[in-house]
Amino acid sequence: MTEQRSIDPAVCDLLEICEEDGISTVFDRADAMKACPIGAKGACCRNCSMGPCRLTKEGQVGICGATIDTIAARNFARMTAAGAAAHSDHGRGMALTLLAAATGDAPDYHVRDVRKLHEVAGFLGVETDGRETADIAKEVAEKALIEFGRQTGEIVYLQRAPRKRQQIWRELGIAPRGIDREVVDIMHRTHVGNDQSYESLLMASLRTALADGWGGSMLSTDITDILFGSPVPLVAKANMGNLSEDQVNIVIHGHEPTLSEMILVAVNDPEIIEYAKSKGAKGINLTGICCTANETLMRQGVATIGNFLSQELAIVTGAVDMMVVDIQCIMQALGPLTEKFHTLLITTSPKAHIDGVTHVNFEEHDALEIAKRIFKMGIDNFPNRREVHIPKDVNQLVVGFSHEYINYALGGFYRGSLRPLNDAVMQGRLRGVAGVVGCNNARSCHDYAHDYVVRELIKNDVLVVMTGCGAIACAKYGLLSPEAAKYAGPGLREICETVGIPPVLHLGSCVDNTRILTVLSQMATEGGLGEDISDVPGVGFAPEWMSEKAISIGTYFVASGVYTIFVSESPVRNSPAVVRFQSEVWEKRVGGKLEFIADVKESVQKALEHIDKKRAALGLPEYDPKRYGQSGDAVMLKVLEERGEEVFNLYSAKVVQSAGS
Amino acid sequence: MSRYIATRAIRGANLIVAEAEAMLRKAIEELGADTPVTFPNTAYYLPVIFGFTGREVTKLGDLVPVIEQAKEILHPVPGKELWLPYLGQTLDCGVATLWAEEAIEGIRFARGLEPQEITWDGSYVPSSSFTSPDAEDQVGRHLNGPIDDIQLRSWGIQLVDGRMPGFAAIIGAARSNEAAVQIIRELQQRNILIFLSGNVNGRSIIHQLMEEGVEMGYDTYIVPFGTDTISAIYAAGFATRAALTFGGMKGGQARGMLLYNKFRCFAFAIALGEVDDLKFATAAGVLNYGFPVIADTVIPQILPTGLTMYEHVVSMPFDDIEGKDDAEKARRLVQRAIEVRGVKIKITEVPIPVPYGSAFEGERVRRAEMRVEFGGKYSRCFEYLTTSDFDAVEDGKIEIVGPDFEDVEEAGHMDMGIVVEVAGRKMQDDFEPVLERQIHYFVNGASGIQHIGQRDIAWIRLSKAAAEKGFNLKHFGEILYARFHADFGAIVDKVQVTIYTDPEEMKEWLAKARKAYDYRNRRLADMTDDSVEEFYSCTLCQSFAPNHVCIVSPERLGLCGAYNWLDCKASHQINPTGPNQPIKKGACEDPSYGVFSGVNDFVRQASHQTVERVSMYSIMLDPMTACGCFECIAMIIPEANGVMVVSREDPSMTPTGMTFSTLAGMAGGGLQTPGVMGHGKYYLTSKKFMTSDGGFKRVVWMSSFLKETMAEELKAVAEREGDPDLLDKIADERVSTTVEELLPFLEEKGHPALTLPPMF
């Protein structure tokens, strides 16, 4: 598979066009530029101007004397801090939007999910009885913002973790004190001449990652749900075939839903639709890429046309009249690329400008007006469209599995709980659970590892939850459709048929990985699967990671007790001590471990072994797929087929059995 | 769920809610929104709706918001090609179905169409009413409809102590009459309550059982609700009320009510014959309670657990079940159903030629069906259990001294004495009466045998059917031998039974027995709260009422009437870690109120800190809590400066403006409510009856049922209290059902309560 660039037929199709037209993409650049071998293994230190130092030989030290281990750990810590900063700043943005909405400074935003507001108010200690929604929202936002600036004590959301987990964090001194403080702490301690113990650096990394997972990201998820609604299942579509030949194609890309939700309001404005028609378009077609797509996909059913590595290829279709981007994972290459096509690229975040690209600053107090203005720019660009090449590929999927909905799905309004999920794991219908998340990476075949890992896991009766670009990857291959239960092992298939879910659940954008933490905490406290997240037979996977956010996510999962596998070489492999610490020592201390395994087959093998190890530790029966699979519609449907719906004699299923089913 | 079931259930739910809405609109148009809607003798309104929503439906108009709420939780059927999750949605639709069904039954009651008339013109006509009590001319003409609170409570103790493991709701019609009867017998033998409803193409299992002459009614544990699917709602109503009555739940605590049933109520549904949309929808409703469904036809199975303790939906196509005939197949079907609900039921094998189980305890043997009787008007029958030396008892020996009954004429009578001699290292003389009283239950469990009374007023009838099957006197011995070993094996090592019919021997043993009865009476009378060091707890009902604790003392028996101090002592011997634990009385803090430090300490801990103090002899200060199975409720009537005592059997209105059922809601659930107290009826005769509040003289009103059934005992109490005419001064429901009527009566009779000091 290494030769192949992508398993996505639409991407392959468009890459052919690129080749014909001599357009360079991320794939070509990855071929042309080998990864820096020194940086790739964490051997390079450029934290002061005496260097940069490269430590490639055993026993070598930097000019200041920093060891290989210190440098690798410092690099890792900084990646964690950068990732945590990105997620958390995103969360801060959401909190500020909520505050502005509550105080009337952002009149286009409202609390759409009052129930969730009350729930979050409960977590943050905000009184709700007899108070107006806006009043509650204001205090929730203020309390959330305090978490970012908190200096001492610990962040409030840690209390949402199982008791035992909280105790572990406190005993190890890794309970985060404040979200921003922990990021600053890493930046400080990795400055020249500070923390020069890899152990201390790596433990601090755990704390900073926790400030992301149980802090910035979790607040982001909660507040986004409050503002735009907690997701409930929707049918949606994925891949390039969702671009329209005769409508204005507007693609939203990035990570924040604040602007895109306004664009969604604007798209239904009759004036805007009329305007589009006046320019010769049949209407407006809104689609998305990356996690902005995930946000609008799961809440409003807006189609996604692809993940991180598809962003340039969307432009190559020639059908995108405008691409509006906000923050994170936006390739600078889009700038020069759009110059070759008619596509209008608009940056909107004051934190994410691109040289030479039109910038319309998005401000929340005037959100809808700005959204409409941007919209008109896109519509105005429609007549400039030239030749288009839209691949036909479309796959359907079901999205919108918030942890709240998972509870509902398993028991309805009155009996909602995770009990059936825990039961399924305990009995062995489900061997375990896995979170498969993360990016794309041009250094490996696009989407291949996501697809492989997920198929293998569900085949082995492991229920998979996904977020981010991984979720979009699997959506494109039908794995997020309930019909995909046919690829699942017999036990998982039974669960899917019972609940009506796909074997792979879409839990949201990459900032929503916190939903997985919530589900795992609930599983641990529901009973029967131990009393801590680290007891649950589960694993975390980042098969095609590339961003620093992924490192932060992986690390907060480890700190929460999850064995997390990144399918690649380790970015700190220059230091065997650091690699060992992240695996063995972390596992001993926090129950979770971080491992980088380049061989995808081996990674699945290790994941299953780990799940079985956890099952054994809980005293659960050994996984045996042959024991399950007797429920479902199949027998009934065969009998009906044979005897007809009108025949009342259904006292025997024998006819079917003798037919060899 | 499965998509097939989800589709059909959701379709059924949408239809039935629409139907209920249309029926309601029409009923309101024709009868008016203020037309009363009530189920008979229940304090829980329409119980399912009340349990889920807290809505107190009393008239047609109250159903409008219920239907609106039902519509809100309906969902569309899952898509054919690409579907959204459907389990939660189907369960919600099931709830909407239950509300709609109960609303429809409510409307039918408003129209006088419930309970249903029996729609069958076969030869068998039930000779008694299913409901208690039917008017004479209505006997046997109606099906049961909902079970009333009185019956629910009277089953309470059996449900909690495991004698009655739970209930099976059967919907539809069996593959054959043979199968129908066998299914019922299998359930009866396990003492499982049986609720019948539904039909397949117009034919119901109720019809099948009538054709086979199976006696139905509360006494045989078979309750025919109605011949349509909708009447299955009464099973859900029963389950809901169990949670409200015994679990201390309030209306609207839906989740708690449902989980209570999942964990504490052993119940399941058996769908016989074709399952249509409405049955699927109803099944989806009962799945919320954690009750699984077992079908005898091909339907999709749902085996994962979580909602239910074990599998959700199990299909056992009847023709595919292995077995030589329908009866054997039916037996396997019931066995599987019980496995699926997941409770091990201990059946004591009793080697007699007739079916055996508690469900047969209530069976009557009428004179026309009778082969022979012992005791009653024409002969003498006694039973006596005594402890003998270890060596004197030959375990398993059953001896008949005198002739058997083969020479007695048809429907004739003869004298009989049953003497049970036991020996055991842990046996104590005090346990003799406890064990002896069990003879009544043990003998009654045999199908075709009726046992009434005890000691030397025992009265046993044996049916022709039982005699034809070969039942003879030796079998009484077999029953007693098997049951005493099974139930009291912890204190009894050897059991020997002798049946006397020989007149001389009989006379001799009767004299011995009477001497023992007399001795026991005196011993019991001597036993007072002051004369013992220990009381006993009874937390048997904590399986149902988690925070309730009974304190049983020699002078205050358990509120259910089933456990006195000696029973508890024996029970503790049998099961030292069981629900009856000795409680050291500790320091007596107040002899009049009956406050003991040891009791308080125990109650605090055993009630999980919900009850801090208990006064054993007061209704006003820290009265003892109750589970829900009390025989009587005492409640203060402030205007009369006294209390009233209403019995479980009394459905009438009381001067407090509440019926027993409504009062029970205040008295039960482990709550301490000053001025209200549940108690056993023999507590009325105790010297410690409300001593701190003035004792028996405080009773100003009492159900006539108590006055009549306890006439002798109460007369003795009146004399003890120094007011021999006291009983005549106490009003009952025939005299007054309001305070306004009560007061003049008391004035006129000069009731002592009026001159006692104020109660508070």
Side-chain angles (χ1 to χ4, degrees):
Chain A
M1 296 299 289
T2 47
E3 292 305 302
Q4 201 183 330
R5 287 175 154 182
S6 172
I7 62 164
D8 180 347
V11 166
C12 293
D13 188 0
L14 291 163
L15 281 175
E16 270 177 41
I17 293 177
C18 292
E19 203 165 328
E20 282 166 24
D21 296 353
I23 298 166
S24 160
T25 65
V26 60
F27 296 96
D28 303 302
R29 295 188 294 271
D31 287 347
M33 187 193 289
K34 278 207 149 38
C36 164
I38 295 152
K41 53 185 181 182
C44 173
C45 178
R46 40 170 311 283
N47 292 11
C48 80
S49 75
M50 296 192 288
C53 300
R54 46 185 178 185
L55 274 59
T56 53
K57 298 188 190 82
E58 216 184 313
Q60 210 175 2
V61 295
I63 291 174
C64 69
T67 61
I68 283 173
D69 304 330
T70 297
I71 288 170
R74 273 203 305 228
N75 286 336
F76 186 85
R78 283 203 163 188
M79 287 167 90
T80 314
H87 276 148
S88 299
D89 203 37
H90 172 173
R92 184 202 328 274
M94 300 312 299
L96 289 168
T97 304
L98 179 64
L99 184 63
T103 54
D105 291 339
D108 300 324
Y109 295 96
H110 308 280
V111 170
R112 285 195 203 159
D113 192 337
V114 177
R115 200 189 55 78
K116 180 105 183 194
L117 173 69
H118 283 226
E119 190 192 341
V120 173
F123 294 139
L124 293 173
V126 174
E127 187 60 51
T128 53
D129 279 352
R131 294 179 73 184
E132 296 284 327
T133 298
D135 202 21
I136 301 170
K138 179 167 172 284
E139 199 184 331
V140 163
E142 287 165 350
K143 281 267 167 75
L145 289 167
I146 288 174
E147 295 300 294
F148 291 90
R150 185 182 288 286
Q151 302 302 323
T152 53
E154 57 184 46
I155 57 174
V156 174
Y157 267 15
L158 295 189
Q159 288 162 20
R160 293 175 63 177
R163 239 169 241 289
K164 200 170 159 196
R165 179 67 15 198
Q166 297 176 36
Q167 212 178 327
I168 290 171
W169 292 334
R170 285 179 195 128
E171 278 167 12
L172 290 171
I174 58 169
R177 299 155 294 187
I179 299 165
D180 291 350
R181 179 171 174 184
E182 300 308 344
V183 175
V184 171
D185 178 281
I186 291 285
M187 297 316 287
H188 180 190
R189 78 169 64 223
T190 54
H191 182 275
V192 64
N194 253 339
D195 195 353
Q196 283 146 132
S197 149
Y198 73 90
E199 180 175 338
S200 160
L201 282 159
L202 290 172
M203 291 311 284
S205 303
L206 291 181
R207 183 167 57 194
T208 303
L210 285 172
D212 173 1
W214 296 86
S217 282
M218 200 173 270
L219 283 165
S220 177
T221 298
D222 280 351
I223 296 173
T224 309
D225 283 352
I226 290 172
L227 280 170
F228 306 119
S230 299
V232 291
L234 291 168
V235 170
K237 292 177 180 169
N239 218 343
M240 295 286 184
N242 290 297
L243 289 170
S244 170
E245 299 243 355
D246 47 18
Q247 300 184 73
V248 180
N249 285 312
I250 309 237
V251 176
I252 46 180
H253 172 25
H255 283 76
E256 266 183 357
T258 26
L259 169 60
S260 53
E261 285 287 341
M262 280 305 117
I263 288 180
L264 261 161
V265 175
V267 80
N268 293 315
D269 187 328
E271 189 197 333
I272 297 279
I273 295 167
E274 266 322 298
Y275 188 67
K277 285 186 178 162
S278 76
K279 299 286 175 181
K282 286 217 168 135
I284 300 166
N285 180 43
L286 192 66
T287 56
I289 288 181
C290 270
C291 283
T292 303
N294 276 321
E295 298 277 359
T296 49
L297 175 75
M298 67 180 164
R299 292 199 180 84
Q300 331 283 358
V302 171
T304 170
I305 55 170
N307 44 12
F308 176 70
L309 284 183
S310 303
Q311 55 186 290
E312 289 168 286
L313 300 163
I315 309 289
V316 174
T317 62
V320 176
D321 302 300
M322 179 169 69
M323 182 181 276
V324 186
V325 300
D326 47 74
I327 50 162
Q328 298 173 10
C329 301
I330 297 142
M331 291 188 199
Q332 185 161 3
L334 290 177
L337 181 66
T338 46
E339 280 169 21
K340 295 194 179 117
F341 292 84
H342 86 295
T343 305
L344 177 63
L345 179 66
I346 307 269
T347 56
T348 58
S349 167
K351 284 169 233 166
H353 291 265
I354 296 178
D355 283 339
V357 170
T358 312
H359 184 80
V360 177
N361 211 39
F362 179 67
E363 285 159 28
E364 275 131 14
H365 69 265
D366 201 16
L368 189 56
E369 269 318 301
I370 296 171
K372 283 185 185 170
R373 184 145 49 91
I374 293 173
F375 235 112
K376 284 194 177 157
M377 294 164 74
I379 294 167
D380 285 338
N381 194 31
F382 179 74
N384 301 329
R385 232 193 239 188
R386 301 186 294 264
E387 193 188 342
V388 300
H389 182 100
I390 303 175
K392 297 278 171 272
D393 307 272
V394 174
N395 248 299
Q396 290 194 306
L397 70 153
V398 172
V399 293
F401 292 92
S402 53
H403 51 266
E404 290 91 344
Y405 184 80
I406 293 174
N407 271 272
Y408 172 84
L410 295 172
F413 182 75
Y414 293 101
R415 287 289 312 279
S417 77
L418 289 187
R419 191 71 250 160
L421 178 61
N422 278 31
D423 269 15
V425 174
M426 286 161 66
Q427 288 155 356
R429 274 198 172 82
L430 295 185
R431 189 171 185 170
V433 291
V436 183
V437 306
C439 332
N440 287 144
N441 190 324
R443 301 238 169 250
S444 60
C445 175
H446 173 223
D447 289 349
Y448 168 76
H450 281 301
D451 183 73
Y452 177 85
V453 166
V454 169
R455 278 180 201 274
E456 284 300 309
L457 289 174
I458 65 173
K459 197 163 80 189
N460 281 284
D461 288 319
V462 176
L463 177 69
V464 174
V465 295
M466 299 193 82
T467 60
C469 286
I472 297 175
C474 289
K476 291 187 291 183
Y477 313 116
L479 293 171
L480 270 60
S481 139
E483 282 225 329
K486 66 187 173 205
Y487 304 122
L492 174 57
R493 185 187 58 69
E494 265 187 317
I495 299 297
C496 291
E497 273 205 62
T498 299
V499 188
I501 49 170
V504 184
L505 303 181
H506 184 290
L507 254 64
S509 62
C510 52
V511 84
D512 289 332
N513 280 311
T514 60
R515 294 193 205 274
I516 304 178
L517 293 178
T518 308
V519 172
L520 287 171
S521 298
Q522 287 180 356
M523 285 179 82
T525 46
E526 174 67 38
L529 294 177
E531 48 184 343
D532 190 4
I533 294 173
S534 55
D535 297 331
V536 175
V539 289
F541 254 110
E544 299 179 27
W545 78 282
M546 61 91 198
S547 77
E548 292 166 314
K549 289 188 295 173
I551 290 292
S552 180
I553 295 168
T555 307
Y556 72 63
F557 269 95
V558 171
S560 303
V562 180
Y563 175 28
T564 306
I565 299 173
F566 281 51
V567 184
S568 75
E569 299 285 359
S570 168
V572 289
R573 60 187 177 276
N574 200 45
S575 163
V578 168
V579 169
R580 192 189 67 85
F581 193 91
Q582 290 181 331
S583 166
E584 289 167 30
V585 181
W586 271 354
E587 184 170 36
K588 217 172 280 164
R589 293 194 187 169
V590 293
K593 56 179 170 177
L594 183 64
E595 285 184 347
F596 293 84
I597 302 168
D599 183 312
V600 65
K601 288 199 176 94
E602 188 193 335
S603 72
V604 172
Q605 203 50 45
K606 284 203 140 180
L608 293 175
E609 279 167 17
H610 180 79
I611 285 174
D612 290 344
K613 182 176 93 179
K614 291 291 176 188
R615 292 188 65 85
L618 286 168
L620 298 178
E622 210 171 306
Y623 166 71
D624 174 9
K626 288 193 284 293
R627 286 167 57 204
Y628 295 112
Q630 285 84 39
S631 45
D633 288 343
V635 173
M636 177 84 198
L637 295 178
K638 270 190 185 163
V639 171
L640 286 177
E641 196 181 315
E642 217 150 310
R643 300 192 200 149
E645 288 260 7
E646 297 309 311
V647 177
F648 287 116
N649 181 10
L650 291 172
Y651 285 107
S652 173
K654 280 255 167 70
V655 184
V656 179
Q657 280 157 9
S658 63
S661 71
Chain B
M1 222 25 68
S2 84
R3 192 153 56 96
Y4 179 87
I5 293 181
T7 304
R8 297 201 59 184
I10 294 176
R11 200 162 63 194
N14 279 281
L15 281 171
I16 195 74
V17 172
E19 192 178 330
E21 190 180 22
M23 282 176 76
L24 180 62
R25 198 179 304 126
K26 197 150 173 274
I28 289 178
E29 270 169 28
E30 290 173 14
L31 306 175
D34 289 333
T35 307
V37 171
T38 50
F39 285 178
N41 292 329
T42 180
Y44 300 103
Y45 310 92
L46 301 193
V48 173
I49 291 169
F50 179 65
F52 269 97
T53 68
R55 290 179 194 277
E56 301 175 355
V57 174
T58 57
K59 51 189 198 296
L60 283 176
D62 296 338
L63 286 169
V64 175
V66 172
I67 298 295
E68 286 308 312
Q69 200 179 342
K71 280 155 73 181
E72 280 167 23
I73 56 170
L74 285 176
H75 293 266
V77 296
K80 278 207 161 125
E81 301 298 326
L82 188 75
W83 52 91
L84 294 176
Y86 41 67
L87 174 63
Q89 287 78 351
T90 308
L91 291 166
D92 285 0
C93 284
V95 172
T97 302
L98 298 183
W99 297 350
E101 288 177 332
E102 194 165 57
I104 289 173
E105 294 294 25
I107 296 165
R108 285 183 182 166
F109 265 105
R111 288 184 179 280
L113 299 173
E114 271 285 317
Q116 298 166 22
E117 285 203 26
I118 292 172
T119 53
W120 188 62
D121 50 5
S123 60
Y124 173 83
V125 177
S127 55
S128 67
S129 60
F130 296 124
T131 46
S132 55
D134 262 357
E136 274 302 312
D137 62 330
Q138 294 295 310
V139 164
R141 290 181 49 189
H142 288 278
L143 292 170
N144 191 82
I147 291 169
D148 57 26
D149 286 358
I150 300 167
Q151 191 56 45
L152 170 74
R153 283 176 194 281
S154 74
W155 276 331
I157 186 70
Q158 299 187 51
L159 283 165
V160 302
D161 74 6
R163 263 181 291 158
M164 188 185 269
F167 69 79
I170 301 182
I171 305 173
R175 184 82 165 114
S176 66
N177 284 11
E178 189 187 3
V181 172
Q182 194 60 38
I183 288 169
I184 296 304
R185 291 292 181 229
E186 288 294 320
L187 292 167
Q188 275 184 308
Q189 287 203 9
R190 291 169 174 82
N191 311 325
I192 294 170
L193 260 177
I194 302 155
F195 299 152
L196 306 176
S197 55
N199 68 72
V200 175
N201 298 325
R203 188 168 160 75
S204 169
I205 185 163
I206 297 174
H207 299 135
Q208 292 178 309
L209 296 180
M210 285 181 178
E211 284 166 13
E212 298 301 317
V214 173
E215 191 182 339
M216 288 180 264
Y218 289 158
D219 291 338
T220 55
Y221 292 15
I222 309 173
V223 188
F225 285 146
T227 55
D228 58 354
T229 303
I230 292 175
S231 57
I233 189 64
Y234 298 136
F238 183 85
T240 305
R241 282 183 294 154
L244 297 173
T245 307
F246 305 115
M249 309 270 169
K250 298 275 164 274
Q253 291 181 326
R255 190 181 172 86
M257 180 271 286
L258 296 170
L259 288 173
Y260 178 93
N261 272 289
K262 176 190 170 186
F263 290 114
R264 295 174 194 270
C265 189
F266 172 85
F268 52 89
I270 299 182
L272 298 176
E274 192 218 0
V275 182
D276 58 23
D277 287 358
L278 183 57
K279 285 180 190 167
F280 275 121
T282 308
V286 306
L287 276 178
N288 279 282
Y289 288 77
F291 302 157
V293 179
I294 296 87
D296 71 345
T297 55
V298 182
I299 63 168
Q301 301 203 102
I302 308 172
L303 305 177
T305 70
L307 285 174
T308 52
M309 295 295 279
Y310 298 89
E311 292 92 334
H312 296 166
V313 179
V314 172
S315 166
M316 259 189 110
F318 197 80
D319 291 354
D320 298 347
I321 302 174
E322 278 182 37
K324 63 179 189 309
D325 53 20
D326 280 4
E328 198 174 326
K329 290 177 183 201
R331 195 172 302 136
R332 296 231 156 105
L333 181 75
V334 172
Q335 276 161 8
R336 177 82 177 107
I338 287 162
E339 271 168 41
V340 168
R341 188 60 181 94
V343 166
K344 289 227 179 339
I345 299 176
K346 191 181 79 179
I347 310 181
T348 310
E349 283 296 331
V350 180
I352 54 174
V354 294
Y356 188 87
S358 302
F360 303 105
E361 277 174 22
E363 236 181 8
R364 287 170 300 269
V365 177
R366 289 177 195 78
R367 183 154 287 278
E369 305 154 17
M370 185 180 90
R371 168 66 188 87
V372 61
E373 67 180 334
F374 312 91
K377 217 186 265 180
Y378 307 103
S379 55
R380 165 73 60 194
C381 177
F382 76 92
E383 48 210 25
Y384 172 46
L385 182 139
T386 182
T387 317
S388 297
D389 283 344
F390 226 88
D391 300 332
V393 181
E394 187 183 328
D395 188 44
K397 182 180 174 192
I398 298 165
E399 195 184 357
I400 315 294
V401 181
D404 211 319
F405 60 78
E406 64 263 12
D407 294 333
V408 178
E409 60 182 348
E410 194 86 353
H413 52 84
M414 75 187 290
D415 290 348
M416 175 169 73
I418 299 176
V419 176
V420 183
E421 287 165 276
V422 299
R425 271 172 223 93
K426 286 190 180 171
M427 186 64 196
Q428 299 176 16
D429 291 351
D430 276 349
F431 297 159
E432 288 175 0
V434 175
L435 266 58
E436 191 180 274
R437 262 190 295 133
Q438 302 301 318
I439 295 176
H440 166 76
Y441 300 102
F442 292 169
V443 170
N444 239 349
S447 177
I449 315 294
Q450 170 185 302
H451 185 287
I452 294 173
Q454 52 166 329
R455 292 187 169 176
D456 56 353
I457 52 163
W459 179 14
I460 300 174
R461 277 182 169 181
L462 202 149
S463 73
K464 285 178 198 161
E468 274 161 26
K469 285 186 180 150
F471 194 98
N472 58 35
L473 293 185
K474 187 168 189 292
H475 293 122
F476 287 122
E478 299 282 6
I479 293 170
L480 296 175
Y481 173 75
R483 290 297 306 269
F484 274 118
H485 269 295
D487 295 23
F488 293 93
I491 48 178
V492 160
D493 296 324
K494 292 165 112 182
V495 180
Q496 169 181 324
V497 183
T498 316
I499 312 271
Y500 294 98
T501 55
D502 175 82
E504 282 309 308
E505 295 265 5
M506 163 106 190
K507 210 165 139 192
E508 189 184 316
W509 275 96
L510 180 59
K512 282 188 204 172
R514 283 186 170 151
K515 207 173 144 201
Y517 301 152
D518 192 44
Y519 169 78
R520 287 175 197 166
N521 283 347
R522 277 184 283 112
R523 163 114 177 96
L524 213 58
D526 292 346
M527 212 176 274
T528 63
D529 286 6
D530 302 330
S531 71
V532 298
E533 281 308 306
E534 287 171 340
F535 294 165
Y536 281 89
S537 68
C538 184
T539 51
L540 193 60
C541 291
Q542 284 204 345
S543 61
F544 272 62
N547 295 327
H548 165 67
V549 192
C550 258
I551 306 295
V552 181
S553 71
E555 291 178 278
R556 183 167 183 177
L557 80 169
L559 55 85
C560 57
Y563 283 78
N564 65 27
W565 187 82
L566 275 177
D567 292 313
C568 291
K569 193 175 175 198
S571 157
H572 176 66
Q573 286 289 331
I574 295 165
N575 182 4
T577 57
N580 301 114
Q581 292 298 319
I583 304 170
K584 287 257 179 267
K585 281 194 302 187
C588 178
E589 294 175 11
D590 188 320
S592 166
Y593 281 87
V595 183
F596 301 91
S597 61
V599 169
N600 283 340
D601 291 345
F602 186 92
V603 167
R604 195 174 307 123
Q605 171 259 324
S607 71
H608 314 108
Q609 279 75 45
T610 59
V611 179
E612 287 288 324
R613 291 171 63 83
V614 164
S615 305
M616 292 286 292
Y617 318 136
S618 175
I619 189 174
M620 293 308 295
L621 181 77
D622 306 324
M624 199 184 294
T625 58
C627 47
C629 356
F630 29 68
E631 291 181 304
C632 302
I633 298 171
M635 183 176 181
I636 181 171
I637 302 182
E639 297 89 337
N641 200 30
V643 298
M644 62 156 205
V645 179
V646 55
S647 93
R648 186 163 67 196
E649 291 80 2
D650 182 359
S652 60
M653 184 48 72
T654 71
T656 58
M658 290 180 272
T659 60
F660 180 90
S661 293
T662 315
L663 281 166
M666 299 168 65
L671 302 172
Q672 213 167 28
T673 317
V676 188
M677 179 174 78
H679 61 85
K681 58 186 180 186
Y682 280 95
Y683 181 47
L684 286 169
T685 66
S686 165
K687 280 185 203 153
K688 303 284 193 202
F689 178 71
M690 295 184 8
T691 43
S692 69
D693 308 313
F696 191 75
K697 281 183 184 157
R698 283 286 182 190
V699 179
V700 294
W701 189 101
M702 185 189 280
S703 297
S704 63
F705 177 86
L706 292 172
K707 281 186 176 174
E708 283 163 14
T709 54
M710 297 175 67
E712 288 295 311
E713 294 95 331
L714 292 176
K715 192 160 183 296
V717 172
E719 277 161 17
R720 189 188 71 207
E721 296 288 314
D723 190 348
D725 302 327
L726 184 55
L727 276 191
D728 298 331
K729 297 174 186 169
I730 298 174
D732 59 37
E733 75 279 6
R734 295 167 300 198
V735 175
S736 68
T737 52
T738 64
V739 174
E740 289 71 29
E741 290 166 351
L742 176 65
L743 292 179
F745 176 86
L746 299 177
E747 295 278 1
E748 186 199 320
K749 299 279 181 187
H751 193 288
L754 299 176
T755 57
L756 286 174
M759 280 190 81
F760 59 93

